[in-house]
Amino acid sequence: MTRILIRNGTVLDQRGERRADVLVDGGVVTAVAPDLSASADDDTAPLTVLDADGCIVSPGFVDLHVHLREPGREEAETIETGSRAAALGGFTAIVAMPNTEPPHDSLTTIEFVRAQARRAGLCEVAPAGCITLGRAGEHLAPLGELAAAGVHLFTDDGNGVQDPALMRRALEYARPLGIVLAQHCEVASLTKGAVMHEGSCCSHLGLPGWPAIAEELMVHRDIELSRLTGAPVHFLHLSTARSVQLVRAAKAEGLAVTAEAAPHHFTLTDELLRTFDATYKVNPPLRTPDDIAAIKAGLRDGTIDAIATDHAPHPPESKEAPLDQAPPGMLGLETALALAITELDLPIADVVAALSWKPAAIAGLDARHGRPVEVGEPANLAVFDPTATWTVVPARLASKSRNTPYAGRTLRGRVRHTVFGGDAVVIDGVAQR
Amino acid sequence: MKHLLDIGDLDAAAIVHLLDLTDHMVEINRRPMPKVPALRGKTVVNLFFEDSTRTRTSFDTAARRLSADVMNFAVSSSSVNKGESLRDTIETITAMGVDAFVVRHSSSGAPTLITRWTNASIVNAGDGWHQHPTQALLDCYTIRTALQRPTGFDGLRIAIVGDVKHSRVARSDVQAFTALGAHVTLVAPPTLLPPDTSGWPVDVSHDLDALLPDLDVVYLLRMQRERMRDALVPSLREYTARYGLTPERAARLAPHALVMHPGPMNRGVEMAVDPAELPGSVVLQQVTNGVAVRMAVLFELLGSGSDLPADTETGTRP
C-alpha cells in the first residue's frame, strides 16, 4: 500500500459535494482538504499523485450482479479478468453470482472464489451463495454455514426459485441469519424456449416470447412472501414496467424489498433482435420503450435502489449461433457508469448513489465500500470524468469475452483512476495489475 | 438480388417480376426435355439442418433443370451438437467453391446469420417459425394462375386458417399476399396466433364459418400434434370441429374458391375432406409450381442476363 494523493478533483459522496484533494495512506483516507500537495510533500515516503482535474472523486462502485464464470467456464471469464474489468469500470467490490461449476453452494467454492480474488487483487469479490443446492430448486443450500462465513447475498440467479413453499421456507430460515435472498424473477413454465421479449417484434420474427408476466408474477409472489415472513427480498435485474410498479407499491407499504436494474434494460429495446445477433440476447430480455421509461422512473424515484450490470461474459463462438441456441447475457462492467451518465437524466450524485453506497448496503459490504470520503475511512475510491467521451471498442475491453451490445457507441463519462484497498489499481484508464 | 431471406424484402414489383420469370420456367418444365444450361458451372448446395424431403427435392430438381451442380448436405442437428458450429460448417463448405446455399434450419434467423460467413447467395428454404419465402412465391404463383390474376390480388379475400403462431408459411404468405393487394384474415383460436399481430396488415377472426362464403382462397395450415402438449388446443377433434375443412364447410365455399395447403397434410384434421374431391383444391399445383418458382429464384440470384433460357418455340426472352 502506497501513499496516494488525488489532486484537484471534486469529492462527491453521501455527505455532498466539495472541492478537495484526498490523501490515502496505509489503506485509509488520511486527509480530505483543498490543496494537500504541500503537506503531502513533507513526508518522505513515496507518493503516487493522481490527477483528478475535472473529475469526481467518489466512493468506489459496488456491482450487485456479476458473472465471473470461474470456476467452470474460464474460457469466458476468470476471476482475474472479471476483476480487472470491474476495476476499470470504477468498481471496488462486486458480487459474484453463484451459477458456476461447481456452484456457490459450499464453503469450498466460496473460499476458492475469495482466494482467486485476493490473488488478482483488483477489487473485492463477494461471492453470493446459492439458495438451493446446485441451484436446482429442490433442497436448501447450507445458508447458515455460508452466512457464518460472511456470505450476505443468496440467489439461484439464472433460475428463479419456482416452488413457492420452498421460497417461503428459505425466507423463514434466512430471517434470523440477517442475510438477504435475491430473486431472479422468472416463472419458468411461462418462458419455455423463450429467446426474446414477447410482443410485436417476436411475433414478426417467429421467435418464442418471454412474457413480462413471467417476471411480474414472481415479483408479486415474493413481495407477498416477504410480507408473510418479514425477511428481506432483493429483486435482481427488473425489466418490466409493471415490476417497477409492484416494487414501488411494496416499498410504500414499508416492506423490506430492494431492487436493481441493469444498464441494458434502460438503454436497449427488443427491436435490436431483428438483426438476429445473439449479442442482444439476455435474460430477462430487452423489452420496450415503455419498460425503459419505467425503469428510468424507478431509478429516479428510488424504487430501484441500484444499477447492477448482470455482466455475463460469453466467448464469441457461443454467441455466433442462432438466437435460440446462443446463451443469454452481455458484458456490463466497463460500460455501466458511462451508460448511466449518458442515458439517465439523473444528477451525478444519484448515479453515484445507485452505483455505490446503495448497492453496498444491500450486499452487506457497507463497512468497507460505499463509505463517505472522509478521514479514517477505507480507501476504496473511484475517480471519473463525467464529461469525457469515448467509443466502445470490444477488443479493448479487459473482459476475456467481447459480447458487449455497445460496440461502436460513443458514451460520456469515463473512469480515470480506481483505488482499491489503498492501492491505485487503475491509473489514467490503465489497470496496474 | 443477392439473397432471398425474407419475402418482406421484396416489394410487389419484385414479386411480380419473379412470378413472370416463373412463367418461363413453367414453359421449360413442359418441354419433353425439361432442362436448360442457364446455370451450367454454378454450384448450389442444399444445406438442410432440418429434415424436409419435399422442399429439398423441389430445390434439387429446380437446380438440376437449370444445369447447376448440386450438393446435398443433410446436417442433422445432432451432428452439429457434436461440435461443429454453424459458422464452421458454412466456412468449410464455402471453401469447396459454392455459388448458392439453400438453407433450411429450425432456428429463426439462421439464414440471415449465414450471410456473414460466406460470399455465396443464400436462399432461405424455411427458418424456424420465421420465413419460407419460396413457399410464399409458389403460393402467389398458384393463386395468380388459378384465378387468372397476372398483375395483382386487389380485392381477393384470403383466409389463412390454423396454427399461424408456429408457421413460417403464414408469416411469409401474409406479407406476399398483402403486398400484392389481397385482403387477408387469420383464422385461429387465440392460442395459435402470434402474441401481437397489431402491426400486421390483416384481420383476425376466430370464426371460420362466418367467413366461408366470401372467400376466394382458404389456406389451411398444418396442425401439429405437439401443440396438444402445450395446451394450445384441447384436442385435434375439437380443432377439426372448429377450424377444420369438413365436407359441410367445403360445400359453403364459393364455386371458384381455392383450397390450399403447404403440405404435408393431416388428413382428417385440418383437411377433413379428400382434396381430390374438392374442385377448388390446388394442393398438387402448389407442388408443381414449387419447382418452377425455385428455378426462377435460383436463376434470378445466379443467372447472368446473357444465358437466359430462351423459349425455343417462340424465340422470345423474358
Side-chain angles (χ1 to χ4, degrees):
Chain A
M1 278 174 276
T2 51
R3 284 201 314 146
I4 300 167
L5 175 64
I6 304 169
R7 206 167 54 182
N8 294 334
T10 300
V11 170
L12 189 162
D13 61 13
Q14 47 272 65
R15 307 274 160 86
E17 200 177 308
R18 61 260 179 213
R19 297 277 310 187
D21 292 353
V22 178
L23 191 63
V24 169
D25 194 356
V28 295
V29 175
T30 54
V32 182
D35 200 17
L36 286 170
S37 299
S39 55
D41 286 342
D42 289 350
D43 201 320
T44 49
L47 179 73
T48 303
V49 178
L50 303 179
D51 176 48
D53 191 27
C55 291
I56 303 284
V57 181
S58 78
F61 305 149
V62 175
D63 193 341
L64 289 168
H65 201 136
V66 177
H67 297 275
L68 290 174
R69 303 303 185 209
E70 183 182 358
R73 296 262 316 281
E74 291 83 355
E75 79 281 9
E77 194 81 286
T78 64
I79 289 167
E80 183 190 327
T81 58
S83 294
R84 190 169 295 119
L88 287 164
F91 294 93
T92 55
I94 55 180
V95 177
M97 289 293 113
N99 60 335
T100 49
E101 286 171 32
H104 300 180
D105 60 3
S106 73
L107 214 45
T108 317
T109 313
I110 297 284
E111 291 299 351
F112 169 78
V113 171
R114 288 173 172 165
Q116 291 293 77
R118 277 194 301 273
R119 200 163 293 147
L122 287 151
C123 64
E124 178 167 352
V125 175
C130 297
I131 296 174
T132 69
L133 281 178
R135 303 169 47 253
E138 287 166 7
H139 305 286
L140 284 184
L143 304 182
E145 184 188 10
L146 300 184
V151 177
H152 187 75
L153 213 64
F154 289 77
T155 177
D156 280 358
D157 182 57
N159 298 333
V161 177
Q162 300 297 311
D163 181 350
L166 182 64
M167 191 60 195
R168 175 191 174 179
R169 297 302 172 217
L171 286 165
E172 287 173 343
Y173 191 84
R175 192 169 50 87
L177 299 174
I179 58 177
V180 176
L181 301 195
Q183 188 70 284
H184 167 112
C185 290
E186 176 180 359
V187 174
S189 64
L190 285 165
T191 61
K192 245 192 294 177
V195 301
M196 66 176 293
H197 172 65
E198 180 180 290
S200 61
C201 200
C202 90
S203 298
H204 177 81
L205 298 177
L207 287 164
W210 199 126
I213 190 81
E215 173 173 307
E216 293 149 2
L217 279 176
M218 197 170 281
V219 170
H220 184 74
R221 183 198 77 179
D222 286 1
I223 286 170
E224 295 307 317
L225 289 175
S226 174
R227 185 200 308 279
L228 179 75
T229 60
V233 173
H234 175 68
F235 292 110
L236 301 168
H237 48 46
L238 289 187
S239 69
T240 84
R242 180 77 186 129
S243 291
V244 177
Q245 273 183 29
L246 288 165
V247 171
R248 183 177 290 123
K251 286 191 164 187
E253 288 190 81
L255 298 177
V257 297
T258 53
E260 66 182 40
H264 47 265
H265 285 131
F266 59 73
T267 55
L268 306 174
T269 71
D270 64 339
E271 289 290 323
L272 288 164
L273 277 302
R274 290 184 188 273
T275 61
F276 293 107
D277 185 338
T279 307
Y280 302 113
K281 181 180 177 183
V282 63
N283 190 19
L286 303 179
R287 299 203 187 268
T288 69
D290 287 347
D291 296 305
I292 286 181
I295 300 285
K296 286 181 172 175
L299 281 162
R300 202 171 303 125
D301 72 6
T303 299
I304 298 172
D305 302 270
I307 296 168
T309 65
D310 196 2
H311 179 83
H314 291 289
E317 59 272 21
S318 66
K319 280 291 194 178
E320 276 179 351
L323 283 170
D324 57 337
Q325 294 172 10
M330 30 182 80
L331 301 184
L333 284 166
E334 294 171 74
T335 47
L337 172 75
L339 289 163
I341 290 175
T342 309
E343 300 271 350
L344 293 175
D345 192 20
L346 283 181
I348 290 287
D350 291 356
V351 169
V352 174
L355 280 167
S356 180
W357 53 88
K358 290 168 85 175
I362 293 167
L365 293 166
D366 47 340
R368 295 183 296 285
H369 299 272
R371 304 294 305 171
V373 184
E374 290 186 348
V375 174
E377 294 289 355
N380 294 313
L381 303 167
V383 181
F384 63 94
D385 183 341
T387 59
T389 57
W390 60 291
T391 301
V392 182
V393 178
R396 287 194 204 140
L397 297 176
S399 173
K400 205 166 179 181
S401 292
R402 296 285 170 264
N403 56 309
T404 173
Y406 303 104
R409 284 270 289 264
T410 297
L411 303 173
R412 186 160 42 84
R414 182 142 216 202
V415 173
R416 207 166 151 198
H417 318 296
T418 305
V419 176
F420 165 61
D423 288 328
V425 293
V426 173
I427 298 177
D428 279 321
V430 177
Q432 302 297 303
R433 291 178 182 164
Chain B
M1 194 161 79
K2 168 79 176 173
H3 306 296
L4 180 61
L5 301 171
D6 185 330
I7 198 72
D9 296 338
L10 304 184
D11 61 12
I15 293 172
V16 169
H17 166 72
L18 284 171
L19 301 184
D20 289 344
L21 197 51
T22 303
D23 278 332
H24 292 270
M25 303 304 172
V26 167
E27 182 276 318
I28 289 167
N29 289 340
R30 285 201 196 106
R31 296 178 193 172
M33 175 95 78
K35 187 152 179 157
V36 292
L39 297 187
R40 197 157 55 192
K42 302 285 185 184
T43 301
V44 175
V45 174
N46 289 320
L47 189 56
F48 277 57
F49 293 88
E50 189 181 72
D51 286 340
S52 170
T53 309
R54 57 171 59 210
T55 303
R56 189 176 49 73
T57 306
S58 181
F59 270 106
D60 190 84
T61 307
R64 288 178 201 281
R65 287 188 181 167
L66 295 174
S67 304
D69 295 319
V70 182
M71 292 195 273
N72 283 299
F73 276 79
V75 192
S76 74
S77 43
S78 63
S79 72
V80 170
N81 288 341
K82 279 177 195 159
E84 191 172 47
S85 70
L86 182 58
R87 178 181 183 157
D88 288 339
T89 303
I90 296 304
E91 289 182 344
T92 301
I93 301 174
T94 297
M96 297 175 193
V98 172
D99 296 291
F101 284 101
V102 174
V103 180
R104 163 68 64 94
H105 202 289
S106 60
S107 298
S108 297
T112 304
L113 286 187
I114 286 171
T115 61
R116 297 182 185 180
W117 305 315
T118 178
N119 288 322
S121 289
I122 306 297
V123 180
N124 182 357
D127 61 328
W129 308 339
H130 176 226
Q131 279 282 318
H132 194 354
T134 58
Q135 179 75 43
L137 290 169
L138 75 88
D139 288 337
C140 288
Y141 189 80
T142 303
I143 293 171
R144 152 169 142 147
T145 47
L147 294 181
Q148 291 163 13
R149 291 296 201 109
T151 57
F153 293 172
D154 283 340
L156 279 190
R157 305 185 71 85
I158 303 177
I160 298 177
V161 185
D163 187 2
V164 176
K165 179 175 180 163
H166 304 97
S167 175
R168 54 190 168 221
V169 174
R171 281 182 180 77
S172 307
D173 276 352
V174 162
Q175 289 177 324
F177 294 166
T178 56
L180 293 179
H183 181 273
V184 174
T185 305
L186 305 178
V187 189
T191 47
L192 293 179
L193 289 169
D196 182 356
T197 54
S198 56
W200 295 24
V202 298
D203 284 340
V204 172
S205 166
H206 312 299
D207 184 359
L208 179 58
D209 290 311
L211 294 168
L212 281 174
D214 297 325
L215 294 175
D216 299 296
V217 177
V218 56
Y219 198 106
L220 305 171
L221 297 172
R222 177 175 166 76
M223 183 63 199
Q224 292 183 322
R225 284 173 193 281
E226 68 202 52
R227 305 300 168 221
M228 259 43 70
R229 262 204 328 259
D230 298 332
L232 296 175
V233 288
S235 66
L236 288 181
R237 180 170 168 274
E238 177 156 330
Y239 178 82
T240 304
R242 294 177 60 82
Y243 298 100
L245 188 66
T246 57
E248 295 73 28
R249 289 200 174 102
R252 295 186 56 230
L253 285 168
H256 73 278
L258 305 181
V259 175
M260 301 178 73
H261 193 293
M265 285 183 285
N266 281 315
R267 295 283 192 103
V269 184
E270 71 270 4
M271 189 66 86
V273 285
D274 183 349
E277 289 174 12
L278 283 175
S281 168
V282 288
V283 172
L284 292 176
Q285 283 95 309
Q286 288 174 271
V287 177
T288 305
N289 293 335
V291 174
V293 155
R294 287 166 180 134
M295 288 167 74
V297 167
L298 289 172
F299 181 76
E300 181 71 15
L301 297 182
L302 300 181
S304 65
S306 62
D307 50 13
L308 286 173
D311 181 328
T312 48
E313 282 170 43
T314 65
T316 58
R317 285 167 175 266

